[in-house]
Amino acid sequence: MRLDTGLSIALLAFSTLVSAEEARSPSPAVTVLVYNKAQAPAATVAQAELEAGRILGEAGVRAFWLDCLDRHSGADSQGLCSRAREPADVVLRLLPGQAQNRLPDTLFGITFLPTLASVYYEYAVRLANSDKEVPTILGCAIAHEVGHLLLGRNSHSGGGIMHGEWGPKEFRLALMGGLLFTSQQSKVIQAEARRRMSLQTGTLKEQHLATVDQGAEAKIIP
């Protein structure tokens, strides 16, 4: 009896320790490289990014947005926009038009796994009842397409933000802030975000080691 009690106490202490560690660890993050090829108003894009970031945040993933076409921005200190694309990257293009085939899968935009998501700016403008609604609808479309990159193939669902065809119900939820990822989708998104973070960390380490090696060689070679 004492052994069982001691074991129970030990398991409880371990569980508490793990829970505390999970609470301290930050949620996974993704950096989204944004290319505003639609020349959408900067304020609209910024508000759409906030909405998409909120939706991803509800799924447990922090989103950081980097405008790669803003020449006056000094935010890209690591040169992420100019380097070659890698599988861990999340790239978002805002395009002016809409897919010619108008299939349900391509109404909001289109994705090319694992890196590139495109969203049609005119889609949001056309469906909004007012200018104030454009950023919200655009933000939901962005979250939908980024969701495809993080969830992988066949990631449409019967409801929520990953529903393949949005009707009045989805737009009503979108404007109310209730068009979100499901709990299962959130788990997959978090796992994929962590995986991409580990890939990027490994790349940065390799780049650092290569720089160190080059420095060492430079010192050795006359």
Side-chain angles (χ1 to χ4, degrees):
M1 179 66 70
R2 290 181 179 178
L3 180 60
D4 292 342
T5 302
L7 180 60
S8 299
I9 293 174
L11 290 174
L12 178 61
F14 177 75
S15 176
T16 302
L17 180 62
V18 170
S19 299
E21 182 63 28
E22 289 179 349
R24 285 195 299 269
S25 61
S27 56
V30 292
T31 298
V32 184
L33 310 180
V34 182
Y35 292 82
N36 182 10
K37 294 182 177 292
Q39 296 184 341
T44 299
V45 174
Q47 292 176 46
E49 291 171 351
L50 284 175
E51 178 62 12
R54 182 191 67 81
I55 295 169
L56 288 167
E58 292 284 346
V61 174
R62 295 170 295 150
F64 298 97
W65 309 88
L66 184 58
D67 188 349
C68 289
L69 296 183
D70 185 359
R71 298 180 180 179
H72 302 290
S73 174
D76 189 15
S77 59
Q78 299 181 9
L80 298 178
C81 293
S82 57
R83 66 173 171 78
R85 296 278 74 85
E86 298 179 359
D89 290 334
V90 176
V91 180
L92 170 67
R93 296 186 306 176
L94 294 180
L95 302 179
Q98 192 171 7
Q100 295 299 318
N101 55 21
R102 299 182 182 275
L103 293 173
D105 288 2
T106 60
L107 285 177
F108 319 124
I110 190 169
T111 54
F112 297 92
L113 299 177
T115 299
L116 179 61
S118 299
V119 172
Y120 303 114
Y121 173 65
E122 291 179 7
Y123 168 82
V125 174
R126 181 171 56 84
L127 291 176
N129 293 318
S130 67
D131 292 341
K132 292 182 178 180
E133 293 182 357
V134 173
T136 301
I137 295 176
L138 182 61
C140 289
I142 289 172
H144 176 97
E145 297 303 332
V146 172
H148 275 307
L149 293 183
L150 299 177
L151 290 167
R153 299 183 184 279
N154 302 318
S155 50
H156 278 147
S157 59
I161 197 163
M162 294 309 297
H163 194 272
E165 298 182 53
W166 291 2
K169 176 184 176 181
E170 283 73 27
F171 287 113
R172 183 170 63 253
L173 285 172
L175 296 175
M176 294 173 58
L179 195 60
L180 305 171
F181 294 99
T182 66
S183 58
Q184 182 58 36
Q185 289 168 346
S186 298
K187 294 178 182 178
V188 175
I189 286 173
Q190 290 175 35
E192 176 61 12
R194 287 193 179 94
R195 186 188 73 84
R196 294 189 183 222
M197 285 178 66
S198 67
L199 289 176
Q200 290 175 332
T201 301
T203 300
L204 290 174
K205 286 182 178 179
E206 291 175 2
Q207 291 175 346
H208 175 70
L209 289 175
T211 302
V212 171
D213 290 341
Q214 291 174 359
E217 291 176 0
K219 292 179 181 179
I220 295 172
I221 299 174

Short mmCIF file of all heavy atoms in Angstrom, two decimals, residues 83-105:
data_model
loop_
_atom_site.label_atom_id
_atom_site.label_comp_id
_atom_site.label_asym_id
_atom_site.label_seq_id
_atom_site.Cartn_x
_atom_site.Cartn_y
_atom_site.Cartn_z
N ARG A 83 17.18 35.32 -49.39
CA ARG A 83 17.85 34.03 -49.53
C ARG A 83 16.96 33.05 -50.29
O ARG A 83 15.76 33.26 -50.47
CB ARG A 83 18.21 33.47 -48.16
CG ARG A 83 17.03 33.10 -47.29
CD ARG A 83 17.50 32.39 -46.03
NE ARG A 83 16.45 32.19 -45.06
CZ ARG A 83 15.52 31.25 -45.13
NH1 ARG A 83 15.50 30.45 -46.18
NH2 ARG A 83 14.60 31.12 -44.21
N ALA A 84 17.56 31.95 -50.73
CA ALA A 84 16.82 30.92 -51.45
C ALA A 84 15.78 30.28 -50.55
O ALA A 84 16.00 30.12 -49.35
CB ALA A 84 17.78 29.85 -51.97
N ARG A 85 14.65 29.95 -51.13
CA ARG A 85 13.57 29.36 -50.34
C ARG A 85 13.94 27.97 -49.85
O ARG A 85 14.61 27.20 -50.54
CB ARG A 85 12.29 29.27 -51.18
CG ARG A 85 11.72 30.61 -51.61
CD ARG A 85 10.89 31.26 -50.51
NE ARG A 85 11.67 31.79 -49.42
CZ ARG A 85 12.22 32.98 -49.41
NH1 ARG A 85 12.07 33.78 -50.43
NH2 ARG A 85 12.92 33.40 -48.37
N GLU A 86 13.48 27.64 -48.65
CA GLU A 86 13.73 26.35 -48.04
C GLU A 86 12.41 25.70 -47.65
O GLU A 86 11.39 26.40 -47.52
CB GLU A 86 14.62 26.53 -46.80
CG GLU A 86 15.99 27.11 -47.13
CD GLU A 86 16.83 27.30 -45.88
OE1 GLU A 86 16.33 26.99 -44.77
OE2 GLU A 86 17.98 27.74 -46.00
N PRO A 87 12.40 24.36 -47.47
CA PRO A 87 11.13 23.68 -47.14
C PRO A 87 10.48 24.18 -45.86
O PRO A 87 9.27 24.03 -45.69
CB PRO A 87 11.57 22.21 -46.98
CG PRO A 87 12.80 22.09 -47.82
CD PRO A 87 13.50 23.41 -47.70
N ALA A 88 11.26 24.77 -44.96
CA ALA A 88 10.69 25.25 -43.70
C ALA A 88 10.01 26.61 -43.84
O ALA A 88 9.31 27.05 -42.93
CB ALA A 88 11.78 25.32 -42.63
N ASP A 89 10.22 27.29 -44.96
CA ASP A 89 9.68 28.64 -45.13
C ASP A 89 8.16 28.62 -45.29
O ASP A 89 7.58 27.63 -45.75
CB ASP A 89 10.29 29.32 -46.35
CG ASP A 89 11.76 29.66 -46.15
OD1 ASP A 89 12.17 29.83 -44.98
OD2 ASP A 89 12.49 29.75 -47.14
N VAL A 90 7.53 29.73 -44.94
CA VAL A 90 6.12 29.96 -45.21
C VAL A 90 6.05 31.27 -45.98
O VAL A 90 6.31 32.34 -45.42
CB VAL A 90 5.28 30.04 -43.91
CG1 VAL A 90 3.83 30.37 -44.24
CG2 VAL A 90 5.37 28.73 -43.15
N VAL A 91 5.72 31.18 -47.25
CA VAL A 91 5.70 32.35 -48.13
C VAL A 91 4.26 32.64 -48.56
O VAL A 91 3.54 31.73 -48.99
CB VAL A 91 6.57 32.13 -49.38
CG1 VAL A 91 6.54 33.34 -50.30
CG2 VAL A 91 8.01 31.81 -48.97
N LEU A 92 3.85 33.89 -48.43
CA LEU A 92 2.49 34.30 -48.80
C LEU A 92 2.55 35.36 -49.89
O LEU A 92 3.21 36.38 -49.73
CB LEU A 92 1.76 34.87 -47.58
CG LEU A 92 0.41 35.55 -47.85
CD1 LEU A 92 -0.62 34.53 -48.32
CD2 LEU A 92 -0.08 36.29 -46.62
N ARG A 93 1.85 35.09 -50.99
CA ARG A 93 1.71 36.08 -52.06
C ARG A 93 0.27 36.58 -52.07
O ARG A 93 -0.68 35.78 -52.08
CB ARG A 93 2.04 35.48 -53.42
CG ARG A 93 3.46 35.02 -53.62
CD ARG A 93 3.69 34.59 -55.06
NE ARG A 93 2.70 33.58 -55.47
CZ ARG A 93 2.62 33.08 -56.71
NH1 ARG A 93 3.44 33.52 -57.64
NH2 ARG A 93 1.72 32.16 -57.00
N LEU A 94 0.12 37.89 -52.07
CA LEU A 94 -1.19 38.50 -52.29
C LEU A 94 -1.27 38.85 -53.77
O LEU A 94 -0.52 39.70 -54.26
CB LEU A 94 -1.38 39.74 -51.43
CG LEU A 94 -1.42 39.52 -49.91
CD1 LEU A 94 -1.61 40.85 -49.19
CD2 LEU A 94 -2.52 38.55 -49.54
N LEU A 95 -2.17 38.19 -54.48
CA LEU A 95 -2.29 38.38 -55.92
C LEU A 95 -3.56 39.17 -56.24
O LEU A 95 -4.55 39.09 -55.52
CB LEU A 95 -2.32 37.03 -56.63
CG LEU A 95 -1.11 36.12 -56.39
CD1 LEU A 95 -1.29 34.79 -57.13
CD2 LEU A 95 0.17 36.80 -56.82
N PRO A 96 -3.54 39.93 -57.34
CA PRO A 96 -4.69 40.78 -57.64
C PRO A 96 -5.89 40.03 -58.19
O PRO A 96 -7.03 40.42 -57.96
CB PRO A 96 -4.14 41.76 -58.68
CG PRO A 96 -3.01 41.01 -59.33
CD PRO A 96 -2.41 40.17 -58.25
N GLY A 97 -5.66 38.97 -58.96
CA GLY A 97 -6.76 38.31 -59.67
C GLY A 97 -7.33 37.14 -58.94
O GLY A 97 -7.27 37.03 -57.72
N GLN A 98 -7.90 36.22 -59.72
CA GLN A 98 -8.53 35.04 -59.17
C GLN A 98 -8.27 33.90 -60.14
O GLN A 98 -8.05 34.11 -61.33
CB GLN A 98 -10.03 35.25 -58.99
CG GLN A 98 -10.71 34.17 -58.16
CD GLN A 98 -12.14 34.54 -57.84
OE1 GLN A 98 -12.66 35.52 -58.34
NE2 GLN A 98 -12.78 33.73 -57.01
N ALA A 99 -8.31 32.67 -59.63
CA ALA A 99 -8.05 31.50 -60.48
C ALA A 99 -9.06 31.44 -61.62
O ALA A 99 -10.25 31.68 -61.42
CB ALA A 99 -8.12 30.23 -59.64
N GLN A 100 -8.58 31.08 -62.80
CA GLN A 100 -9.44 31.04 -63.98
C GLN A 100 -10.45 29.90 -63.92
O GLN A 100 -11.57 30.03 -64.40
CB GLN A 100 -8.57 30.91 -65.23
CG GLN A 100 -7.66 32.10 -65.48
CD GLN A 100 -8.45 33.40 -65.68
OE1 GLN A 100 -9.46 33.41 -66.36
NE2 GLN A 100 -7.98 34.47 -65.07
N ASN A 101 -10.05 28.75 -63.32
CA ASN A 101 -10.96 27.61 -63.33
C ASN A 101 -12.06 27.71 -62.28
O ASN A 101 -13.05 26.98 -62.35
CB ASN A 101 -10.19 26.30 -63.13
CG ASN A 101 -9.33 26.30 -61.89
OD1 ASN A 101 -9.56 27.08 -60.97
ND2 ASN A 101 -8.34 25.43 -61.85
N ARG A 102 -11.87 28.60 -61.30
CA ARG A 102 -12.89 28.88 -60.29
C ARG A 102 -13.38 27.62 -59.56
O ARG A 102 -14.54 27.50 -59.19
CB ARG A 102 -14.09 29.61 -60.90
CG ARG A 102 -13.71 30.94 -61.51
CD ARG A 102 -14.91 31.67 -62.07
NE ARG A 102 -14.52 32.91 -62.70
CZ ARG A 102 -14.37 34.06 -62.04
NH1 ARG A 102 -14.58 34.09 -60.75
NH2 ARG A 102 -14.01 35.15 -62.68
N LEU A 103 -12.50 26.66 -59.37
CA LEU A 103 -12.84 25.49 -58.58
C LEU A 103 -12.97 25.90 -57.12
O LEU A 103 -12.32 26.84 -56.68
CB LEU A 103 -11.77 24.41 -58.73
CG LEU A 103 -11.64 23.77 -60.13
CD1 LEU A 103 -10.44 22.86 -60.16
CD2 LEU A 103 -12.91 23.01 -60.48
N PRO A 104 -13.78 25.18 -56.33
CA PRO A 104 -13.93 25.53 -54.91
C PRO A 104 -12.60 25.59 -54.17
O PRO A 104 -12.42 26.40 -53.29
CB PRO A 104 -14.82 24.40 -54.38
CG PRO A 104 -15.61 23.94 -55.56
CD PRO A 104 -14.66 24.07 -56.73
N ASP A 105 -11.66 24.69 -54.55
CA ASP A 105 -10.37 24.64 -53.87
C ASP A 105 -9.53 25.88 -54.12
O ASP A 105 -8.56 26.12 -53.41
CB ASP A 105 -9.58 23.41 -54.31
CG ASP A 105 -10.17 22.13 -53.73
OD1 ASP A 105 -11.19 22.23 -53.04
OD2 ASP A 105 -9.61 21.06 -53.98
#
